[in-house]
Amino acid sequence: MENKRILIANRGEIAIRIMNACDELGLDYVVVYTAEDSASLHVRKALEAKGPEAAYRICNYKDPNEIFSVADHSGADAIHPGYGFFSENFRFARRAALRNRPIVFIGPRWEVIRDLGSKINTKRIAKQLGIPVIPGSDEPLYSEIEAEVLAEKLFYRQKKQGIEKPSILVKASAGGGGMGIEEVNHLDTFRQIYRRIQNYAKRQFGDEGVLIEQCMRDYHHLEVQLLCSQHGEIVHFSTRNCTIQSTGRQKRVEAAPGFDPRSIGYPFDAAKVLEQMINYSIQLAEKVKYDNVGTWEWIVTRDGKPYLLEVNTRIQVENEISARISRIAGYDGPVNLIREQIRAALGEKLGFSQNDVTFSGTSIELRIVAEDVKRGFAPWCGKITTFSFPEKPWVRVYSHVPQDRPYEIPTEYDPNLALAIIWGMNTEQARERARDFLSQTVIRGEDSRGGPIVTNLSYLKKRLDDVLKF
Amino acid sequence: MDINLNDLLRQYKSHPYEDHHIDTPHTGVVSFRVKEGQEVKGPSGQWLHRPGTLLYILEREKNPKKITSSFTGKVASLRTELEGTFVQAGERLLTIQHKLNRDEIIDRILRKVLHIFRAPQRARYFFTPETVTFLEKETEKGLSVSTGDEIIIMSLMKRDTFLPYDGPPGIIYKVYFQQGDLVEQDAPLFGVCLPEKLPFVQKVIQRIRTEWDD
């Protein structure tokens, strides 16, 4: 594995975390950036650590030719896609594997990405294995009439079940990350929302396919973190709870483990539900011969029933809270799932089994975003002048925002500023520490009209009370 | 609307040039096809279907891309030291000094006369689907807009915002962007001509047509 060079095909904080993982493994790396990101910390860090040849300006993170052209020029052996961009693009992964000069794609095999990349296909495989999934369409709909018939059925079904306020979700089939989802509360408004989503999907993703499913109310959003190798090993790194999300269904506060039955009461047997989810996830991983890190997303309703939503065939933003609560026997340092991901992709054996992994405490991730929570989480644009946070042994902060000079937020990408990962011996301590961290964090800045910066710090603080509570 | 036409025209007459910088659109290996000082042509033909002079070839992933000139003019500051090397995206390769013609002078002046609706932020812009349909159908008449009409969608950080037109009512005289273009902050999106100003605008155009010889 030595002497390998990794091309980091992403930006912002994930690029920095991948650099750290490469450093831990003693691997060389290069980064790419666009003109808008010239001032980003990931570029500066790479240049400082590896010299002037370590950062390449490209026209677009989403142009595969740019990535491969830089990979060849820089002699990279593997590409780490991070999350977003090419991370779940099986065509990209396939091209990397099949080209004249093959390059390792740091992720699962392209066939796996293809099969699990579509929520619909995942649903189909899950159904075959008897894994519970949410009622709704199992293929993208392009016809308004078909969609309306199904919407009617779903409303009828909910009424029959005695659900007080039935509703359904309309999603852009090609969407992801919470973008392009709207709720329909009444059949009369269905057509209007359907058309809006269809237009949105066509503009943003170039595909107007739309999915419809029953809208689950009163549920928690959970995830199972798996790590698999090319040698058939499967190890889980417990669960996460990502219920606290913005109105656009983007995660804001996450916690691991997914439930904490030792200190919080649940209307169902939480430990049993977690075990069920993990077992179902492993069952699906075995079926498709999964071979890298992956996240199985679930929702759990108040009656304690888990439903599989989808599989994210990549590393996730919130992977590190799972790492924080985990220990691998015989390994001294902290667990780093990105490091394990790179090792697995380069063909190494995990070197440990499920029995070697133990869990302790609770970890919370806070996503600090420049957004106006009161105005529907509207993104804020402008320049950050001060950005400082407390340094404590129990918190780790990842950010691409430089702390020593002003930084203009590029408008091309999400206005995420930083991730804070906090650990506590138990949920109460983790929550207390998170509060402590937030009150000592200072962010100042102004927009183009001289107005002050808007962030979600106070929102995060308020929502901490709800962490892990059903 | 008091713009001094004489001053403007005099200014353009004394220096009727614009510099166009040619930067690489993406990474690749460069090989030049022009020399310093060479005259180059922009695209021509009824639909601008004949490409301009070949400036350089950018080869990426075994795929040579011919980069032709979008402007007519003279090649200046050619970076010959980059010949045969791998360049990053956005690298400046040369500059074309372009002499403005009559239509371009009209365009520059129109930007000063029309009520220009500008991009409030750097983002991607779209006309609403209804507006597109209308513009496609009725290119002759032009689309009249009134204050408060939501005809533009701004797509920023993957979020769509409908923008109301905030200027005086009039007719969309000129559109400066293509659907889905990334437009810089304050760059013009479209120009609206007030109905009472239409004669003035036509006068301006008429005057340049007669006074300017290419």
Side-chain angles (χ1 to χ4, degrees):
Chain A
M1 202 173 72
E2 287 91 48
N3 304 325
K4 293 263 198 254
R5 179 174 285 170
I6 313 291
L7 172 82
I8 301 173
N10 213 301
R11 61 185 296 275
E13 67 78 26
I14 187 63
I16 294 172
R17 278 199 277 180
I18 298 167
M19 281 181 217
N20 294 345
C22 289
D23 283 338
E24 276 185 43
L25 291 166
L27 298 170
D28 197 12
Y29 57 81
V30 291
V31 301
V32 291
Y33 66 100
T34 59
E36 296 86 3
D37 268 348
S38 315
S40 183
L41 202 54
H42 85 272
V43 183
R44 184 156 53 129
K45 279 202 162 172
L47 291 172
E48 277 168 10
K50 301 285 172 188
E53 297 280 291
Y56 289 85
R57 189 174 58 232
I58 55 171
C59 63
N60 190 337
Y61 293 107
K62 292 193 252 180
D63 185 340
N65 292 319
E66 287 289 82
I67 307 295
F68 286 118
S69 139
V70 171
D72 283 347
H73 183 75
S74 63
D77 307 284
I79 295 175
H80 198 307
Y83 47 70
F85 297 138
F86 290 117
S87 58
E88 291 173 278
N89 186 323
F90 81 85
R91 291 182 177 88
F92 184 89
R94 180 176 63 191
R95 182 167 159 189
L98 301 182
R99 67 205 296 271
N100 284 349
R101 178 183 168 273
I103 296 178
V104 173
F105 177 83
I106 301 181
R109 286 175 296 128
W110 64 266
E111 295 94 333
V112 172
I113 305 177
R114 180 193 57 194
D115 293 347
L116 299 183
S118 119
K119 289 172 201 171
I120 307 145
N121 196 40
T122 307
K123 225 172 170 178
R124 240 178 265 141
I125 302 174
K127 269 186 185 167
Q128 283 167 19
L129 296 171
I131 298 171
V133 294
I134 298 172
S137 55
D138 48 14
E139 58 184 5
L141 300 168
Y142 294 90
S143 141
E144 198 169 288
I145 298 165
E146 253 178 71
E148 223 165 19
V149 170
L150 182 59
E152 210 176 326
K153 262 191 211 157
L154 289 173
F155 270 108
Y156 178 70
R157 194 191 130 100
Q158 291 177 71
K159 266 185 204 137
K160 226 171 57 180
Q161 285 177 344
I163 293 169
E164 212 172 293
K165 284 181 188 155
S167 73
I168 56 174
L169 289 181
V170 182
K171 301 179 170 185
S173 170
M179 309 299 294
I181 303 181
E182 274 195 64
E183 193 179 324
V184 180
N185 297 311
H186 202 278
L187 200 54
D188 291 346
T189 58
F190 173 76
R191 190 171 288 202
Q192 191 192 355
I193 291 171
Y194 173 85
R195 285 185 184 165
R196 188 155 63 223
I197 293 291
Q198 194 178 35
N199 272 325
Y200 175 88
K202 202 173 169 187
R203 266 201 310 281
Q204 295 289 3
F205 312 114
D207 177 72
E208 55 180 31
V210 165
L211 295 178
I212 300 172
E213 62 187 27
Q214 179 177 339
C215 175
M216 298 291 191
R217 292 188 170 279
D218 201 17
Y219 63 83
H220 269 208
H221 184 131
L222 274 81
E223 297 177 344
V224 175
Q225 175 70 58
L226 296 190
L227 170 65
C228 313
S229 76
Q230 294 168 5
H231 308 278
E233 301 155 290
I234 300 179
V235 173
H236 76 80
F237 280 83
S238 180
T239 50
R240 294 187 285 262
N241 192 317
C242 308
T243 308
I244 302 177
Q245 303 184 355
S246 73
T247 42
R249 292 179 193 279
Q250 292 206 298
K251 296 163 191 166
R252 287 294 174 263
V253 181
E254 296 108 325
F259 291 127
D260 180 13
R262 269 174 306 179
S263 57
I264 298 170
Y266 293 94
F268 46 81
D269 186 348
K272 199 182 124 203
V273 174
L274 292 181
E275 198 190 319
Q276 250 180 355
M277 274 167 31
I278 290 172
N279 289 339
Y280 278 139
S281 303
I282 291 174
Q283 196 189 344
L284 184 58
E286 276 169 350
K287 164 87 182 170
V288 299
K289 299 195 171 60
Y290 203 86
D291 59 351
N292 202 256
V293 293
T295 298
W296 271 246
E297 296 210 4
W298 294 82
I299 65 172
V300 177
T301 49
R302 188 167 284 278
D303 51 3
K305 282 201 183 109
Y307 298 89
L308 180 68
L309 273 184
E310 58 173 320
V311 179
N312 288 326
T313 55
R314 56 172 163 93
I315 196 77
Q316 280 195 293
V317 179
E318 60 272 26
N319 78 81
E320 198 161 321
I321 53 171
S322 300
R324 276 292 84 75
I325 61 163
S326 314
R327 286 280 171 278
I328 300 173
Y331 184 80
D332 286 340
V335 176
N336 181 342
L337 288 170
I338 300 175
R339 180 189 67 208
E340 299 306 322
Q341 178 193 22
I342 297 173
R343 284 182 52 223
L346 293 176
E348 291 213 343
K349 279 197 169 178
L350 295 186
F352 56 85
S353 70
Q354 192 65 59
N355 293 334
D356 299 318
V357 182
T358 51
F359 304 101
S360 72
T362 299
S363 185
I364 296 177
E365 177 179 85
L366 305 167
R367 299 202 195 188
I368 302 172
V369 183
E371 62 185 1
D372 194 345
V373 174
K374 291 188 192 105
R375 282 179 48 232
F377 295 83
W380 180 89
C381 299
K383 189 184 260 179
I384 295 174
T385 50
T386 312
F387 181 50
S388 74
F389 45 81
E391 281 186 33
K392 305 274 185 198
W394 40 259
V395 63
R396 243 196 244 183
V397 179
Y398 294 101
S399 176
H400 60 290
V401 181
Q403 283 179 267
D404 57 351
R405 56 180 173 194
Y407 175 77
E408 189 91 37
I409 304 176
T411 58
E412 267 297 89
Y413 315 104
D414 285 341
N416 297 344
L417 299 183
L419 291 178
I421 293 132
I422 289 142
W423 183 85
M425 274 161 54
N426 49 47
T427 304
E428 196 39 55
Q429 191 187 41
R431 214 183 275 157
E432 224 21 77
R433 286 176 167 176
R435 258 186 221 115
D436 211 30
F437 171 84
L438 285 171
S439 21
Q440 291 180 55
T441 298
V442 181
I443 306 175
R444 289 195 201 99
E446 58 178 39
D447 61 24
S448 54
R449 289 172 206 88
I453 188 170
V454 184
T455 69
N456 64 348
L457 287 178
S458 56
Y459 165 82
L460 293 176
K461 209 169 181 180
K462 210 176 82 204
R463 292 306 304 267
L464 276 174
D465 298 337
D466 308 329
V467 167
L468 293 178
K469 280 186 192 152
F470 211 111
Chain B
M1 185 68 63
D2 291 322
I3 54 161
N4 194 330
L5 262 183
N6 293 326
D7 276 4
L8 262 179
L9 280 179
R10 205 174 305 127
Q11 204 182 315
Y12 278 123
K13 265 181 184 158
S14 68
H15 187 83
Y17 293 103
E18 258 178 12
D19 279 351
H20 294 285
H21 302 299
I22 309 297
D23 301 343
T24 51
H26 54 66
T27 58
V29 176
V30 175
S31 61
F32 287 110
R33 290 292 184 268
V34 286
K35 295 206 166 58
E36 176 102 29
Q38 186 181 326
E39 294 285 343
V40 294
K41 283 205 170 70
S44 56
Q46 193 182 350
W47 301 282
L48 296 178
H49 56 291
R50 269 192 290 279
T53 311
L54 181 59
L55 295 177
Y56 63 97
I57 291 173
L58 190 58
E59 184 168 335
R60 179 182 67 171
E61 286 286 285
K62 291 179 189 160
N63 185 8
K65 185 185 233 172
K66 289 178 179 174
I67 308 288
T68 57
S69 181
S70 317
F71 312 96
T72 301
K74 209 159 109 184
V75 174
S77 41
L78 185 72
R79 292 185 60 196
T80 42
E81 75 274 17
L82 295 176
E83 173 72 31
T85 62
F86 179 87
V87 293
Q88 305 191 8
E91 191 80 50
R92 178 140 313 160
L93 295 182
L94 58 121
T95 301
I96 292 173
Q97 201 178 45
H98 167 70
K99 191 168 185 235
L100 292 168
N101 65 25
R102 191 159 52 193
D103 287 343
E104 287 162 334
I105 300 278
I106 291 174
D107 179 66
R108 303 301 182 275
I109 288 177
L110 269 185
R111 287 199 191 198
K112 296 193 164 114
V113 183
L114 299 178
H115 178 89
I116 304 283
F117 184 84
R118 288 175 190 281
Q121 275 175 330
R122 182 172 192 273
R124 287 189 192 281
Y125 289 87
F126 299 85
F127 276 119
T128 52
E130 303 82 61
T131 317
V132 174
T133 322
F134 192 90
L135 285 174
E136 274 169 5
K137 273 192 206 142
E138 316 240 352
T139 41
E140 298 293 306
K141 246 184 0 190
L143 176 68
S144 48
V145 284
S146 35
T147 317
D149 282 358
E150 288 187 341
I151 59 165
I152 289 273
I153 302 172
M154 174 175 76
S155 176
L156 176 65
M157 292 166 180
K158 297 190 267 180
R159 289 156 180 88
D160 283 357
T161 317
F162 286 76
L163 298 181
Y165 170 66
D166 55 0
I171 292 154
I172 296 187
Y173 197 87
K174 199 160 171 60
V175 176
Y176 292 103
F177 75 105
Q178 301 270 325
Q179 281 288 85
D181 272 358
L182 180 68
V183 182
E184 295 293 328
Q185 184 173 1
D186 283 334
L189 289 174
F190 57 87
V192 171
C193 186
L194 311 188
E196 68 269 21
K197 273 193 196 144
L198 212 55
F200 177 74
V201 169
Q202 273 151 358
K203 196 184 105 194
V204 172
I205 294 170
Q206 187 58 35
R207 197 165 151 201
I208 298 166
R209 288 247 156 84
T210 51
E211 287 188 11
W212 196 270
D213 27 74
D214 274 334

